[in-house]
Amino acid sequence: MRRALVLALAVPFASVALSGPSAFAVGEDPGTTANDPGTTAKDTAPDGVLGADDRQMAANLEKRVLDPRLGADVSGVVLDAASDTVLWGHHASTALMPASNVKLATATGALTVLGPDHRFTTKVVHGHGTLTLVGGGDRTLTTADLTELAKTAAAGLKAAGVSTVKVAVDDSLFPEPTLADGWNTGYYPDSVAPVRALVVDGHGVDDTSLDAGQAFAARLAAAGVTVDGAVTRATAGPHDVPVARHRSAPLSDIVHTMLKTSDNDIAETLLRATALGAGRPATFEGGTEVVRGVLSLRYGVSLAHFEMYDGSGLSRADRIPAATLAEILDLLTEPRHRRVLGSVLDGLPVSGEAGSTLGPEWGRFDDADSRCAVGKVHAKTGTLTGAVALSGLTQGKDGRWKVFSFVENGSTAAPNDIKDAMDGLAATVNGCWA
């Protein structure tokens, strides 16, 4: 039934938006209101009927999507969250490079497979005179966490009468390759580090595992343990004795952080962990295969023209239609998905929110057209050279929640000008830029 939406969007839209049921609504919850994007409104309009506010919004979008700053290759769609009526569309089934909007798919897959309460465990084990730091895929591990691991390990060693050890790191949880298809060489290690199961403080270095091991060794030395030689890479043995462990925050918190700041490294780690959680190899291919299965089989999202090669959206080979991104976001408006996917909704940056990718420090929602929408738009950003995307939710002028997705590729305008035009489209959906 969801495929009906994508097929409908393949038909060009007239200047007055067409509409029709997407067939993925679940019925209304009598206890919900229109004031929360995670709920459905009770006053659902009849299918195929657009109110005056929606007709005006669609007419404005039809003109504003032609803004020269956006270039000629633009895909967009707006849905009514309660009825799943398509309010407006522009080449909505055309697959374009979505940049970091891929993280919406990654987050949905990770939360569904692993669960929002999942935690990542980093361990220290001892055997044959070696302490091995074993990576568990915790991309949020900090120096303070390593310090506690070292203190605990040092106390155990001293109690056993051991004062000198070798130190090794085990990052075998995530196999090679560490770089995805479609990543430009200029992306790593700064925009994204080669993907490994062990990292500290999110360091952007080529070998995050050895870097973390060296930091751990330094903390051991500070705790009074002599470290013999350089840190090496090894695989922990089945009979090694556990001496310390650290558990991350819940996955829901990690997803929240990933989306607010568009953290590429967290996204790539979550893709690998999702593969493992589904019993697949912890590779890019394994992860994207599982995400595709979750979207299609669990949630009924159409994968027509959907191509995903990494978890962050840095791959220039990724292609996702705006219609598909809107379908993923529409899941967040269904109360039955709130427990599992709630952190995706909560993690969407809010227009004008400092510290997020829609904050004033990034020049978002700060011009005459979009300033009126500050605090009113919840959306995931996406930015690569040659690709800008903005997909999210906002409450329209009629008080009803709208799901939208806009993606452009190939504009030659300045990046900030493109983002201003995108923000203007979102403000149009909100209705404050009438």
Side-chain angles (χ1 to χ4, degrees), residues 313-362:
L314 283 176
S315 175
R316 304 190 69 81
D318 292 336
R319 296 291 185 275
I320 303 180
T324 301
L325 292 168
E327 282 195 69
I328 295 171
L329 285 163
D330 189 73
L331 298 172
L332 309 182
T333 71
E334 300 182 14
R336 60 177 175 160
H337 299 316
R338 177 70 184 181
R339 189 192 71 80
V340 173
L341 301 181
S343 58
V344 178
L345 178 61
D346 296 340
L348 292 176
V350 179
S351 48
E353 178 187 15
S356 79
T357 56
L358 282 182
E361 62 268 40
W362 297 102

Coordinates of all heavy atoms in Angstrom, one line a residue, residues 313-362:
G313 N 25.7 9.1 5.0 CA 25.3 10.0 3.9 C 26.5 10.7 3.2 O 26.3 11.5 2.3
L314 N 27.7 10.4 3.7 CA 28.9 11.0 3.0 C 29.2 10.4 1.6 O 29.8 11.0 0.8 CB 30.1 10.8 3.9 CG 30.3 11.8 5.1 CD1 31.5 11.5 5.9 CD2 30.3 13.2 4.6
S315 N 28.7 9.2 1.4 CA 28.9 8.5 0.1 C 28.2 9.3 -1.0 O 27.0 9.5 -0.9 CB 28.4 7.1 0.2 OG 28.6 6.5 -1.1
R316 N 29.0 9.6 -2.0 CA 28.4 10.3 -3.1 C 27.7 9.3 -4.1 O 27.1 9.8 -5.1 CB 29.5 11.0 -3.9 CG 30.3 12.0 -2.9 CD 31.2 12.9 -3.7 NE 30.5 13.9 -4.5 CZ 29.9 15.0 -4.1 NH1 30.0 15.3 -2.8 NH2 29.2 15.8 -4.9
A317 N 27.6 8.1 -3.7 CA 26.9 7.1 -4.5 C 25.5 6.9 -3.9 O 24.6 6.3 -4.5 CB 27.6 5.7 -4.5
D318 N 25.2 7.4 -2.7 CA 23.9 7.3 -2.1 C 22.8 8.0 -2.9 O 23.1 9.1 -3.4 CB 23.9 7.9 -0.7 CG 24.7 7.1 0.3 OD1 24.9 5.9 0.1 OD2 25.1 7.7 1.3
R319 N 21.6 7.4 -3.0 CA 20.5 8.1 -3.7 C 19.2 7.7 -3.0 O 18.9 6.5 -2.8 CB 20.4 7.6 -5.2 CG 21.6 8.0 -6.1 CD 21.6 9.5 -6.3 NE 22.7 9.9 -7.3 CZ 24.0 10.1 -6.9 NH1 24.3 10.0 -5.6 NH2 24.9 10.4 -7.9
I320 N 18.4 8.7 -2.6 CA 17.2 8.4 -1.9 C 16.2 9.5 -2.4 O 16.5 10.7 -2.4 CB 17.3 8.5 -0.4 CG1 18.3 7.5 0.1 CG2 15.9 8.2 0.2 CD1 18.4 7.5 1.6
P321 N 15.0 9.1 -2.9 CA 14.0 10.1 -3.2 C 13.4 10.9 -2.0 O 13.3 10.3 -0.9 CB 12.9 9.3 -3.9 CG 13.5 7.9 -4.2 CD 14.5 7.7 -3.2
A322 N 13.0 12.1 -2.2 CA 12.3 12.8 -1.2 C 11.1 12.1 -0.7 O 10.8 12.1 0.5 CB 11.9 14.2 -1.7
A323 N 10.4 11.4 -1.6 CA 9.2 10.6 -1.2 C 9.5 9.6 -0.1 O 8.8 9.4 0.9 CB 8.6 9.9 -2.4
T324 N 10.7 8.9 -0.2 CA 11.1 7.9 0.7 C 11.5 8.5 2.0 O 11.1 8.0 3.1 CB 12.2 7.1 0.1 OG1 11.8 6.4 -1.1 CG2 12.7 6.0 1.1
L325 N 12.2 9.6 2.0 CA 12.6 10.3 3.2 C 11.3 10.8 4.0 O 11.3 10.7 5.2 CB 13.5 11.5 2.9 CG 14.8 11.2 2.4 CD1 15.5 12.4 1.8 CD2 15.7 10.5 3.4
A326 N 10.3 11.2 3.3 CA 9.1 11.6 3.9 C 8.4 10.4 4.5 O 7.8 10.5 5.6 CB 8.1 12.3 2.9
E327 N 8.4 9.3 3.9 CA 7.8 8.1 4.4 C 8.5 7.7 5.8 O 7.8 7.3 6.7 CB 7.9 6.9 3.5 CG 6.9 6.9 2.3 CD 6.9 5.6 1.6 OE1 6.4 4.6 2.2 OE2 7.3 5.5 0.5
I328 N 9.8 7.8 5.8 CA 10.5 7.5 7.0 C 10.1 8.4 8.1 O 9.8 8.0 9.3 CB 12.0 7.5 6.8 CG1 12.5 6.4 5.8 CG2 12.8 7.3 8.1 CD1 13.9 6.5 5.3
L329 N 10.0 9.7 7.8 CA 9.7 10.7 8.8 C 8.2 10.5 9.3 O 7.9 10.8 10.4 CB 9.9 12.1 8.3 CG 11.3 12.5 8.2 CD1 11.5 13.7 7.3 CD2 11.8 12.9 9.6
D330 N 7.4 10.1 8.4 CA 6.0 9.9 8.7 C 5.8 8.9 9.8 O 4.8 8.9 10.6 CB 5.1 9.6 7.5 CG 3.6 9.6 7.8 OD1 3.1 10.7 7.9 OD2 3.0 8.5 7.9
L331 N 6.7 7.9 9.9 CA 6.6 6.9 10.9 C 6.6 7.5 12.3 O 6.0 7.0 13.2 CB 7.8 5.9 10.8 CG 7.9 5.1 9.5 CD1 9.2 4.3 9.5 CD2 6.7 4.1 9.4
L332 N 7.3 8.7 12.4 CA 7.5 9.3 13.7 C 6.2 9.9 14.2 O 6.1 10.2 15.4 CB 8.6 10.4 13.6 CG 9.9 10.0 13.0 CD1 10.9 11.2 13.0 CD2 10.5 8.8 13.7
T333 N 5.2 10.1 13.3 CA 4.0 10.7 13.7 C 3.0 9.7 14.2 O 1.8 10.0 14.6 CB 3.4 11.5 12.6 OG1 2.9 10.6 11.5 CG2 4.4 12.5 12.0
E334 N 3.3 8.4 14.1 CA 2.4 7.3 14.5 C 2.7 6.9 15.9 O 3.8 6.4 16.2 CB 2.5 6.1 13.5 CG 2.2 6.5 12.1 CD 2.3 5.3 11.1 OE1 2.3 4.2 11.6 OE2 2.3 5.5 9.9
P335 N 1.7 7.0 16.8 CA 2.0 6.7 18.2 C 2.5 5.3 18.5 O 3.2 5.1 19.4 CB 0.6 6.9 18.8 CG -0.1 7.9 18.0 CD 0.4 7.6 16.6
R336 N 2.1 4.4 17.6 CA 2.6 3.0 17.9 C 4.1 2.8 17.7 O 4.7 1.9 18.2 CB 1.9 2.0 16.9 CG 2.1 2.3 15.4 CD 1.5 1.3 14.5 NE 1.6 1.7 13.1 CZ 1.5 0.8 12.1 NH1 1.2 -0.4 12.4 NH2 1.6 1.2 10.9
H337 N 4.8 3.8 17.0 CA 6.2 3.7 16.9 C 7.0 4.6 17.9 O 8.2 4.6 17.8 CB 6.6 4.1 15.4 CG 6.0 3.3 14.4 ND1 6.0 1.9 14.5 CD2 5.4 3.6 13.2 CE1 5.4 1.4 13.4 NE2 5.0 2.4 12.6
R338 N 6.3 5.3 18.7 CA 6.9 6.2 19.6 C 8.0 5.6 20.5 O 9.0 6.2 20.7 CB 5.8 7.0 20.4 CG 6.4 8.0 21.4 CD 7.0 9.2 20.7 NE 7.6 10.1 21.7 CZ 8.2 11.3 21.3 NH1 8.2 11.6 20.1 NH2 8.7 12.0 22.3
R339 N 7.7 4.5 21.1 CA 8.6 3.9 22.0 C 9.9 3.5 21.4 O 11.0 3.8 22.0 CB 8.0 2.6 22.7 CG 8.9 2.1 23.8 CD 8.5 0.7 24.2 NE 8.9 -0.3 23.2 CZ 10.1 -0.8 23.1 NH1 11.1 -0.4 23.9 NH2 10.4 -1.7 22.2
V340 N 9.9 3.0 20.2 CA 11.1 2.6 19.5 C 11.8 3.8 18.8 O 13.0 4.0 18.9 CB 10.8 1.5 18.5 CG1 12.1 1.1 17.7 CG2 10.4 0.2 19.2
L341 N 11.0 4.6 18.1 CA 11.6 5.6 17.2 C 11.5 7.0 17.8 O 11.9 8.0 17.2 CB 10.9 5.6 15.9 CG 11.0 4.3 15.1 CD1 10.2 4.5 13.8 CD2 12.4 3.8 14.9
G342 N 11.1 7.1 19.1 CA 10.9 8.4 19.7 C 12.2 9.3 19.7 O 12.1 10.5 19.5
S343 N 13.4 8.7 19.8 CA 14.6 9.5 19.9 C 14.9 10.1 18.5 O 15.7 11.0 18.4 CB 15.8 8.7 20.4 OG 16.0 7.5 19.6
V344 N 14.4 9.5 17.4 CA 14.6 10.1 16.1 C 13.8 11.5 16.1 O 14.4 12.5 15.7 CB 14.1 9.2 15.0 CG1 14.3 9.9 13.6 CG2 14.9 7.9 15.0
L345 N 12.6 11.4 16.5 CA 11.8 12.6 16.5 C 12.4 13.7 17.5 O 12.6 14.8 17.1 CB 10.4 12.3 17.0 CG 9.4 13.5 17.1 CD1 9.3 14.2 15.8 CD2 8.1 13.0 17.6
D346 N 12.8 13.2 18.7 CA 13.4 14.1 19.6 C 14.7 14.7 19.2 O 15.1 15.8 19.6 CB 13.5 13.5 21.0 CG 12.2 13.0 21.6 OD1 11.2 13.6 21.2 OD2 12.2 12.1 22.5
G347 N 15.4 13.9 18.4 CA 16.8 14.3 18.0 C 16.8 15.2 16.8 O 17.9 15.7 16.4
L348 N 15.7 15.4 16.1 CA 15.7 16.3 14.9 C 16.1 17.7 15.4 O 15.5 18.2 16.3 CB 14.3 16.3 14.3 CG 13.9 15.0 13.5 CD1 12.5 15.2 13.0 CD2 14.9 14.7 12.4
P349 N 17.0 18.3 14.7 CA 17.3 19.7 15.1 C 16.1 20.6 14.9 O 15.2 20.4 14.1 CB 18.4 20.1 14.1 CG 19.1 18.8 13.7 CD 17.9 17.8 13.7
V350 N 16.0 21.6 15.7 CA 14.9 22.6 15.7 C 15.4 23.9 15.1 O 16.5 24.3 15.5 CB 14.3 22.8 17.1 CG1 13.1 23.8 17.0 CG2 13.8 21.4 17.6
S351 N 14.7 24.5 14.2 CA 15.1 25.7 13.6 C 15.5 26.8 14.7 O 14.7 27.1 15.6 CB 14.0 26.3 12.7 OG 12.8 26.3 13.4
G352 N 16.7 27.3 14.6 CA 17.3 28.3 15.5 C 17.8 27.7 16.8 O 18.2 28.5 17.7
E353 N 17.9 26.4 16.9 CA 18.4 25.7 18.1 C 19.9 25.7 18.2 O 20.6 25.0 17.4 CB 17.9 24.3 18.2 CG 18.3 23.5 19.4 CD 17.9 22.0 19.3 OE1 17.5 21.5 18.2 OE2 18.0 21.4 20.4
A354 N 20.5 26.5 19.1 CA 21.9 26.5 19.2 C 22.5 25.2 19.5 O 21.9 24.4 20.3 CB 22.3 27.5 20.3
G355 N 23.6 24.8 19.0 CA 24.3 23.6 19.2 C 23.8 22.5 18.3 O 24.3 21.3 18.3
S356 N 22.8 22.7 17.5 CA 22.3 21.8 16.5 C 22.7 22.3 15.1 O 23.2 23.4 14.9 CB 20.8 21.6 16.6 OG 20.1 22.6 15.9
T357 N 22.5 21.4 14.1 CA 22.9 21.8 12.7 C 21.9 22.8 12.1 O 22.1 23.3 11.0 CB 22.9 20.6 11.8 OG1 21.7 19.9 11.8 CG2 24.1 19.7 12.2
L358 N 20.8 23.2 12.9 CA 19.9 24.3 12.4 C 20.1 25.5 13.3 O 19.2 26.4 13.3 CB 18.4 23.8 12.5 CG 18.0 22.9 11.3 CD1 16.5 22.6 11.5 CD2 18.2 23.6 10.0
G359 N 21.2 25.6 14.0 CA 21.5 26.7 14.9 C 21.9 27.9 14.2 O 22.4 27.9 13.0
P360 N 21.9 29.0 14.9 CA 22.3 30.3 14.3 C 23.8 30.3 13.9 O 24.2 31.1 13.0 CB 22.0 31.3 15.4 CG 22.0 30.5 16.7 CD 21.4 29.2 16.3
E361 N 24.6 29.5 14.6 CA 26.0 29.4 14.2 C 26.2 28.9 12.9 O 27.3 29.0 12.3 CB 26.8 28.6 15.3 CG 26.4 27.1 15.4 CD 25.3 26.9 16.4 OE1 24.4 27.7 16.5 OE2 25.4 25.8 17.1
W362 N 25.2 28.2 12.3 CA 25.3 27.7 10.9 C 24.5 28.6 10.0 O 24.3 28.2 8.8 CB 24.8 26.3 10.8 CG 25.6 25.3 11.7 CD1 25.3 24.8 12.9 CD2 26.8 24.8 11.3 NE1 26.3 24.0 13.3 CE2 27.2 23.9 12.4 CE3 27.7 24.9 10.2 CZ2 28.5 23.2 12.4 CZ3 28.9 24.2 10.2 CH2 29.3 23.4 11.2

